[in-house]
Amino acid sequence: MAIRYIEKKQIFQMDTKHSTYLIGLTTEGYVGHIYYGKRLKKEGNHYLLRTKEAPYTPSVYEREKMVFMDFFPFEYPSGGVGDYRESCLDVRGEKGNIGCEFFFQSYQIYKGKAALSGLPASFGTEKEVETLEITCEDPILKLNVVLSYSVFESCDIITRSVRIENRGTEHLKLEKVYSACLDMDNREFEMVTLTGSWARERYIQRNPIHFGKQLVSSTRGESSHQEHPFLALVTKNTTQETGEVYAMNFVYSGNFIAQAEENQFGQVRMVMGIHSNYFCWNLKQGESFQAPEVVLTYSDQGLGQMTHQFHDFYRNHLIRSPYQFRKRPILINNWEATYFDFNSEKLLEIAKEAKKAGIEMLVMDDGWFGKRNFDDNSLGDWTVNTKKITSGLLDLVTKVKELGMEFGIWFEPEMISPDSELYRTHPDWAIQIAGRRPTMCRAQYVLDLSRPEVVEYAYQCVAEILRSAPISYVKWDMNRQLCDIGSSYLDSESQGELMHRYVLGLYQMQERLVTEFPNLLLENCSGGGARFDAGMLYYSPQIWCSDDTDAIERLRIQEGTALIYPLATIGAHISDCPNHIVGRNTPFETRGHIALAGTFGYELDITKITEEERKMIPKQVAMCHKYQSLMQRGDYYRLVSWNEKKPYDCWEVVAKDQSEVLVTFVQVLAQPNMHSRVIYLQGLEECAEYQLEGTQEVYTGEELMQCGYLIPSILSSDKKGDYQSHLYHFLRK
Ligand code: GLA
């Protein structure tokens, strides 16, 4: 039993394998947070709510209610009645005031987990997950808040979400609805976040918590390149293997906030939800609002354990695609090979050469539709450009299939070019503030997905193409962020709903797509990796990680991404050198090793690379076949990080049954006159013997983990210079 209500103590106790979460009720019915952390073997207690010390609860000491409100550890704090820390819910009533206060009303515990209407969310069977719903009421507004906790016991994960129900008679406005809150005392926490920019997504950032608010957020209409809907508070000196970690990750792809706040009493409030900027939701009588889900996890064994918990959870309880554990085709994408300058002949030339090398799918990227030879036109006009695809799409796909390859295609369905037939016909379909010229980005505007006919149009454009030919893969792109937040469809009262309705429209389209085309391999993308989030993983098992395909830049980007997301979700390709973004030259072999820690594919003109490189491709393809299943299913450990100023980088993936481990070592900068380096492996069976493939070297698991493996200098007479890499594959004897 993962969840129980201990009535005599008025406590809800939720246990996972290694963690416990305690919620307590006060005599007034305030719902307070008692504890989250390492699993308690016995029943929890109430004393941590501190209701026996000043500031006493209002029923004991009404005179200082405000002091109580500003101190009490709330499970779900509401704004306006005395708690000055960040609130999770702000409601404006018909009289124009903001203020509400919630009291416990009822609860239910059930096996399984309900889906969240219109939203991506984790799932599990009745054996895998149990749910607690606590209903609280504001007696004045007759507004209910349903706090929902789903406990995935064996995964050490608790998911949280909130539903707001208007049971009164007023027309309410929700000006802020967050999804989760965690109040704790500050134990010298540090805050781990992921930040970046285009081509520099998800760098790991770590800073001590200080007084006041510190946050990451997005108001860009997507989770963004710049900040990420993830926040971990870690105790000081937490490493990959030691220390306590409290982490939240948002299953949502639009505006978000993830914030930690230290207050006057040394308490920390951690919150996550939809950003309140540009948000205002009308909640009329009888209506309800469902906030997206937050995935919460605790580890007392450092960040590495947190990573395993997220990876396993997303692989088993969030990603639905049949490709999740299935072999994924090794693709070649023509974007960096040709950009807009291609036609069917050129694509077939690439496909033929790729087939010879063992590549399994050709992906036709941007530029096949409308009159698009550059990025300033035709988005919205999803008809095949027969000047380029001369004998039509079906013919091209058929020819590629006859070569024995699959075919994939690129779309950017959420966008509209001012220079398009669609815009000329429906200028009001673009997001814009009436009377104001919308701000341009990449010469395009964004479609108003709050308008049902736009969602229908955009969906049918994609579906019609997929119905017209046997296409196996779609890359769904989104190349600009939202601004000029206005809709000619929504009335003035509802403009504050646009950004969330946009995300709901997107989810609706992708849900339809994976339902109508259940065997489609969908890869999401957004100007590289601006919408790499848990929300999108519900629809696509892989997401393009960054437009930066340089192998060395990717070390940092992929390390940050893999902190939360499984390697098999990370879109990674081998591209040509000098790299188109940074101009760096790296060995072809290294590019392959780094792409192997992702989906593995190619993004280059295979007809133009050197003969020597072309000859290496079949070996890389074989390498991918050999290790793909291990990479998809195994446990990933970050061993050494170049990011942390080391001259080399190293990670490993261990099979779940500990029968093999693949170590990737990258000597980023060459160093002269160096001896071997000790690398401490992790996750092996201590007493088992492991043989390094291709050698007679045998080590025990404990040797490799405690004494370490000696990585010889990988620089030799034939391998000199920076950016050299090597794989070490150990097999249990
Ligand atoms: C985005 C993607 C690229 C490519 C281009 C095409 O930038 O991230 O991979 O598809 O769009 O315009």
Side-chain angles (χ1 to χ4, degrees):
M1 199 177 43
I3 307 177
R4 62 198 143 137
Y5 178 52
I6 309 162
E7 194 167 2
K8 58 177 192 308
K9 297 182 184 172
Q10 303 254 291
I11 284 180
F12 294 97
Q13 176 152 352
M14 295 180 266
D15 293 312
T16 70
K17 218 155 85 189
H18 301 104
S19 70
T20 293
Y21 193 114
L22 296 176
I23 296 170
L25 306 175
T26 69
T27 39
E28 295 85 349
Y30 291 116
V31 182
H33 179 71
I34 300 181
Y35 171 80
Y36 183 34
K38 193 171 172 166
R39 179 164 180 160
L40 301 177
K41 294 182 189 71
K42 298 262 167 70
E43 252 179 38
N45 276 306
H46 211 270
Y47 67 95
L48 280 170
L49 284 182
R50 295 171 169 149
T51 50
K52 300 268 186 295
E53 62 185 271
Y56 303 107
T57 62
S59 61
V60 175
Y61 198 51
E62 167 69 16
R63 183 178 180 276
E64 297 297 353
K65 176 174 171 185
M66 192 164 92
V67 183
F68 168 82
M69 297 300 277
D70 208 19
F71 173 80
F72 186 69
F74 282 103
E75 266 304 306
Y76 193 70
S78 53
V81 291
D83 182 354
Y84 290 94
R85 295 162 290 179
E86 182 81 18
S87 62
C88 283
L89 180 67
D90 285 349
V91 181
R92 197 180 289 279
E94 274 176 359
K95 295 194 185 72
N97 320 96
I98 290 190
C100 48
E101 186 176 13
F102 291 89
F103 300 94
F104 174 77
Q105 208 185 39
S106 62
Y107 77 93
Q108 60 161 328
I109 295 170
Y110 59 87
K111 294 207 178 301
K113 178 175 188 288
L116 302 187
S117 164
L119 287 167
S122 59
F123 49 81
T125 63
E126 293 194 353
K127 284 206 178 111
E128 294 165 332
V129 54
E130 221 173 295
T131 298
L132 163 68
E133 284 188 3
I134 300 179
T135 301
C136 313
E137 189 198 36
D138 177 302
I140 311 296
L141 293 172
K142 296 273 182 279
L143 183 66
N144 279 9
V145 161
V146 182
L147 305 177
S148 172
Y149 303 80
S150 291
V151 181
F152 291 83
E153 192 175 352
S154 68
C155 302
D156 286 315
I157 295 277
I158 297 177
T159 64
R160 289 188 58 173
S161 65
V162 174
R163 196 169 65 249
I164 316 290
E165 300 170 346
N166 185 354
R167 297 178 169 236
T169 52
E170 286 189 44
H171 176 160
L172 303 174
K173 286 188 178 293
L174 305 179
E175 300 205 339
K176 187 202 275 183
V177 186
Y178 291 168
S179 296
C181 173
L182 204 53
D183 276 352
M184 303 179 279
D185 277 17
N186 189 4
R187 306 207 307 274
E188 288 194 87
F189 282 127
E190 294 171 353
M191 172 166 167
V192 180
T193 54
L194 299 173
T195 58
S197 181
W198 173 76
R200 286 189 275 112
E201 294 90 341
R202 289 174 292 287
Y203 285 8
I204 298 172
Q205 179 178 262
R206 183 160 164 176
N207 289 303
I209 294 279
H210 55 76
F211 193 95
K213 292 174 179 176
Q214 41 249 275
L215 67 144
V216 284
S217 69
S218 165
T219 54
R220 297 166 185 267
E222 60 173 356
S223 41
S224 90
H225 302 99
Q226 288 77 9
E227 296 171 51
H228 197 73
F230 163 78
L231 172 61
L233 298 190
V234 303
T235 46
K236 211 172 167 182
N237 303 323
T238 287
T239 65
Q240 283 292 316
E241 291 163 87
T242 61
E244 287 186 86
V245 181
Y246 295 85
M248 285 185 182
N249 194 31
F250 207 16
V251 189
Y252 188 64
S253 314
N255 293 350
F256 75 89
I257 183 169
Q259 179 177 282
E261 172 186 13
E262 190 191 38
N263 76 350
Q264 54 187 329
F265 305 115
Q267 295 168 304
V268 176
R269 172 166 288 176
M270 187 179 178
V271 293
M272 182 171 275
I274 295 180
H275 205 297
S276 58
N277 281 7
Y278 306 102
F279 177 85
C280 180
W281 197 270
N282 292 285
L283 202 69
K284 297 193 190 126
Q285 184 176 358
E287 288 181 347
S288 64
F289 178 83
Q290 176 63 59
E293 175 168 279
V294 166
V295 177
L296 191 64
T297 199
Y298 167 81
S299 150
D300 66 345
Q301 287 167 46
L303 285 161
Q305 185 57 31
M306 174 203 77
T307 295
H308 295 154
Q309 286 163 200
F310 275 125
H311 285 199
D312 284 341
F313 184 64
Y314 289 155
R315 289 191 279 214
N316 296 306
H317 299 287
L318 181 72
I319 302 170
R320 300 173 295 171
S321 167
Y323 282 94
Q324 164 71 336
F325 295 115
R326 199 191 275 173
K327 189 194 142 2
R328 315 244 179 114
I330 298 175
L331 64 81
I332 185 159
N333 177 304
N334 76 307
W335 178 240
E336 286 194 27
T338 65
Y339 296 101
F340 293 103
D341 185 17
F342 65 89
N343 55 22
S344 345
E345 287 67 46
K346 178 69 208 170
L347 292 176
L348 284 169
E349 228 179 81
I350 292 177
K352 275 182 200 142
E353 205 55 57
K355 173 65 191 171
K356 276 196 240 161
I359 296 172
E360 297 154 330
M361 179 160 76
L362 175 78
V363 175
M364 176 170 72
D365 210 280
D366 192 357
W368 56 266
F369 54 93
K371 57 178 175 90
R372 191 152 162 110
N373 290 313
F374 194 57
D375 65 10
D376 61 357
N377 65 81
S378 300
L379 293 169
D381 300 343
W382 297 104
T383 46
V384 177
N385 180 347
T386 46
K387 287 204 181 106
K388 285 166 115 172
I389 311 302
T390 36
S391 47
L393 185 62
L394 179 58
D395 185 66
L396 174 63
V397 178
T398 308
K399 288 196 172 117
V400 170
K401 291 202 75 123
E402 278 166 8
L403 290 173
M405 292 176 87
E406 299 295 307
F407 188 89
I409 194 167
W410 178 96
F411 284 100
E412 199 180 354
E414 301 155 67
M415 296 293 148
I416 179 166
S417 304
D419 180 7
S420 65
E421 289 312 315
L422 185 66
Y423 189 74
R424 284 183 275 279
T425 323
H426 295 291
D428 54 333
W429 281 14
I431 287 182
Q432 58 200 299
I433 298 170
R436 194 179 285 276
R437 190 145 177 254
T439 306
M440 194 86 93
C441 180
R442 210 196 192 207
Q444 65 199 54
Y445 298 146
V446 185
L447 282 171
D448 177 1
L449 299 186
S450 73
R451 188 187 270 270
E453 61 192 322
V454 171
V455 172
E456 183 61 26
Y457 172 84
Y459 177 73
Q460 289 304 344
C461 287
V462 178
E464 281 301 323
I465 293 285
L466 298 187
R467 289 177 200 129
S468 74
I471 294 170
S472 312
Y473 160 107
V474 162
K475 176 175 171 187
W476 181 304
D477 208 341
M478 192 251 194
N479 273 319
R480 67 156 287 178
Q481 303 179 326
L482 279 60
C483 61
D484 304 278
I485 303 308
S487 161
S488 56
Y489 171 74
L490 298 171
D491 61 22
S492 59
E493 286 265 320
S494 310
Q495 294 291 320
E497 298 182 4
L498 176 55
M499 293 193 95
H500 182 53
R501 284 193 184 277
Y502 179 88
V503 181
L504 295 179
L506 164 71
Y507 289 154
Q508 195 189 321
M509 287 197 280
Q510 295 216 345
E511 185 65 36
R512 274 178 84 174
L513 194 69
V514 298
T515 309
E516 184 175 344
F517 305 96
N519 287 317
L520 183 75
L521 174 57
L522 180 61
E523 175 156 352
N524 269 293
C525 171
S526 178
R531 210 162 52 187
F532 198 123
D533 56 61
M536 299 317 287
L537 284 181
Y538 186 64
Y539 305 96
S540 66
Q542 58 191 57
I543 302 178
W544 186 228
C545 181
S546 177
D547 278 343
D548 195 336
T549 54
D550 172 70
I552 300 307
E553 290 297 307
R554 276 297 185 114
L555 290 175
R556 215 168 163 184
I557 298 170
Q558 293 181 195
E559 179 184 356
T561 308
L563 187 67
I564 322 172
Y565 305 107
L567 299 188
T569 65
I570 299 176
H573 295 168
I574 296 160
S575 63
D576 203 4
C577 278
N579 180 268
H580 295 191
I581 290 193
V582 292
R584 184 178 283 130
N585 284 302
T586 49
F588 203 71
E589 186 185 33
T590 303
R591 283 176 257 163
H593 289 163
I594 293 170
L596 185 65
T599 54
F600 194 87
Y602 292 84
E603 181 136 353
L604 39 72
D605 188 343
I606 193 170
T607 67
K608 290 197 179 141
I609 56 176
T610 63
E611 191 54 31
E612 196 191 334
E613 287 176 339
R614 216 177 358 256
K615 280 202 183 127
M616 288 172 79
I617 294 181
K619 287 193 202 113
Q620 289 181 325
V621 165
M623 169 186 77
C624 175
H625 287 156
K626 179 172 174 188
Y627 296 121
Q628 195 180 57
S629 169
L630 174 65
M631 302 311 253
Q632 281 176 344
R633 292 160 198 263
D635 287 332
Y636 157 84
Y637 291 86
R638 172 48 65 169
L639 302 181
V640 183
S641 174
W642 177 61
N643 199 12
E644 291 168 0
K645 311 267 180 292
K646 292 279 185 334
Y648 51 95
D649 207 64
C650 189
W651 63 89
E652 62 163 41
V653 179
V654 186
K656 284 280 177 199
D657 65 1
Q658 300 172 302
S659 61
E660 58 174 327
V661 53
L662 181 69
V663 180
T664 308
F665 179 87
V666 184
Q667 179 72 48
V668 181
L669 294 179
Q671 285 183 300
N673 195 21
M674 279 303 293
H675 288 284
S676 56
R677 303 180 182 285
V678 185
I679 299 281
Y680 301 93
L681 272 52
Q682 291 186 47
L684 304 179
E685 199 185 316
E686 283 181 343
C687 297
E689 292 193 317
Y690 291 87
Q691 181 162 6
L692 178 61
E693 197 180 27
T695 73
Q696 296 306 315
E697 294 174 33
V698 176
Y699 306 86
T700 61
E702 64 180 0
E703 250 170 356
L704 291 172
M705 294 192 291
Q706 278 157 237
C707 314
Y709 174 66
L710 290 176
I711 301 240
S713 170
I714 61 173
L715 303 183
S716 58
S717 48
D718 61 331
K719 239 185 182 183
K720 276 209 169 63
D722 298 333
Y723 321 129
Q724 302 292 343
S725 66
H726 199 81
L727 298 182
Y728 300 88
H729 187 210
F730 295 87
L731 292 155
R732 190 173 55 198
K733 282 183 56 148

